[in-house]
């Protein structure tokens, strides 16, 4: 990885959650979500989330994965493909309502938020965790942004490495959001309409990034 490159972070959420995130002024970890009655539409596999709620983090601030706001290092996640292909129970809307909330490692640090990162899927037993930016070379930078990541006979660890994560403890303020990525112009119009009511969203650009979605 180019040490001078912007180190982008990608989180996918349902577009209907943008008003809730903006009203709260932050993205929150499951264990730090305010009890404010605001609606948040989940797009996650419940079995996976149950496992993440008890998986401990062995470095940095510690705790469990659910004490953190999770980001991927690249788009085109395995999770997005599962949503696209109808493999998540209770979800059947495809990719259009799914938007990317984009930040960067630099913005997380500037916001003074604690963090850790992994070299692969957070639930895999042999995934390693780090709290030292000098270890970023442990991330497979070619693979985390790749469109094609299936395991191969000569490399059956690709899917795990594709899902390397950067976790932010407790919450990340909206001020650390660099922008929003959407599938098409219709989604951009909807996102911009939702965000227009919130002063915190001023300056947050919504861009069509169709290349971040599956065909």
């Amino acid at each position: 990885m180019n040490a001078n490159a912007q180190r982008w972070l990608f989180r996918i959420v349902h577009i209907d959650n943008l008003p809730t995130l903006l009203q709260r002024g932050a993205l929150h970890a499951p264990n730090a979500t305010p009890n404010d009655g605001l609606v948040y539409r989940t797009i996650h596999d419940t079995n996976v989330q149950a496992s993440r709620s008890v998986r401990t983090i062995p470095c940095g601030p510690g705790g469990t994965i659910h004490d953190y706001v999770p980001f991927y290092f690249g788009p085109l996640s395995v999770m997005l493909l599962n949503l696209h292909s109808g493999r998540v129970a209770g979800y059947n809307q495809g990719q259009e309502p799914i938007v990317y909330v984009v930040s960067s490692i630099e913005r997380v640090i500037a916001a003074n938020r604690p963090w850790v990162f992994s070299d692969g899927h957070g639930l895999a037993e042999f995934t390693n965790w780090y709290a030292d930016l000098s270890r970023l070379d442990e991330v497979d930078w070619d693979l985390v942004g790749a469109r094609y990541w299936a395991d191969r006979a000569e490399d059956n660890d690709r899917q795990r490495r594709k899902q390397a994560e950067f976790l932010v403890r407790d919450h990340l303020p909206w001020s650390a959001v660099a922008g929003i990525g959407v599938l098409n112009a219709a989604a951009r119009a909807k996102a911009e309409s939702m965000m227009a009511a919130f002063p915190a969203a001023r300056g947050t650009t919504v861009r069509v990034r169709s290349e971040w979605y599956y065909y």
Side-chain angles (χ1 to χ4, degrees):
M1 180 189 181
N2 183 344
N4 296 318
Q6 183 78 225
R7 291 167 288 194
W8 297 112
L9 303 172
F10 302 81
R11 175 163 174 75
I12 56 173
V13 302
H14 196 283
I15 195 169
D16 290 348
N17 293 333
L18 289 177
T20 292
L21 297 177
L22 284 160
Q23 190 163 340
R24 289 174 175 165
L27 289 75
H28 287 85
N31 288 347
T33 300
N35 185 20
D36 52 18
L38 295 178
V39 175
Y40 190 90
R41 182 165 186 170
T42 182
I43 55 174
H44 301 101
D45 183 298
T46 55
N47 291 328
V48 171
Q49 292 306 300
S51 297
R52 289 173 68 88
S53 71
V54 296
R55 179 55 57 90
T56 58
I57 300 296
C59 63
T64 71
I65 293 178
H66 269 194
D67 290 316
Y68 295 80
V69 183
F71 288 84
Y72 290 119
F73 287 106
L76 294 163
S77 65
V78 179
M79 177 182 172
L80 180 62
L81 180 61
N82 289 339
L83 293 166
H84 172 51
S85 55
R87 298 175 193 170
V88 177
Y91 183 84
N92 60 2
Q93 292 186 290
Q95 293 180 105
E96 185 168 346
I98 305 302
V99 302
Y100 284 88
V101 180
V102 182
S103 187
S104 68
I105 294 177
E106 291 78 7
R107 285 172 175 260
V108 172
I109 292 171
N112 198 31
R113 300 306 307 144
W115 51 267
V116 297
F117 69 91
S118 72
D119 62 6
H121 192 291
L123 295 180
E125 291 296 336
F126 45 95
T127 284
N128 296 304
W129 293 92
Y130 308 94
D132 180 354
L133 292 181
S134 71
R135 304 300 300 276
L136 279 172
D137 285 344
E138 303 292 341
V139 175
D140 188 334
W141 293 102
D142 290 332
L143 194 55
V144 291
R147 178 172 295 276
Y148 304 107
W149 39 258
D151 290 343
R152 299 171 179 168
E154 69 275 14
D155 182 358
N156 64 0
D157 190 40
R158 287 167 55 83
Q159 184 168 328
R160 183 193 69 85
R161 300 198 312 275
K162 166 70 175 176
Q163 298 177 84
E165 300 182 57
F166 190 95
L167 305 183
V168 182
R169 179 75 189 217
D170 295 332
H171 73 276
L172 183 68
W174 187 267
S175 59
V177 172
I180 304 294
V182 299
L183 175 61
N184 54 33
R188 179 176 63 191
K190 182 174 181 178
E192 288 177 340
S193 177
M194 288 176 161
M195 294 164 62
F198 298 92
R202 292 172 187 165
T204 305
T205 303
V206 182
R207 290 190 171 92
V208 174
R209 295 290 191 185
S210 56
E211 70 276 15
W212 290 355
Y213 293 81
Y214 289 97
Y215 302 134

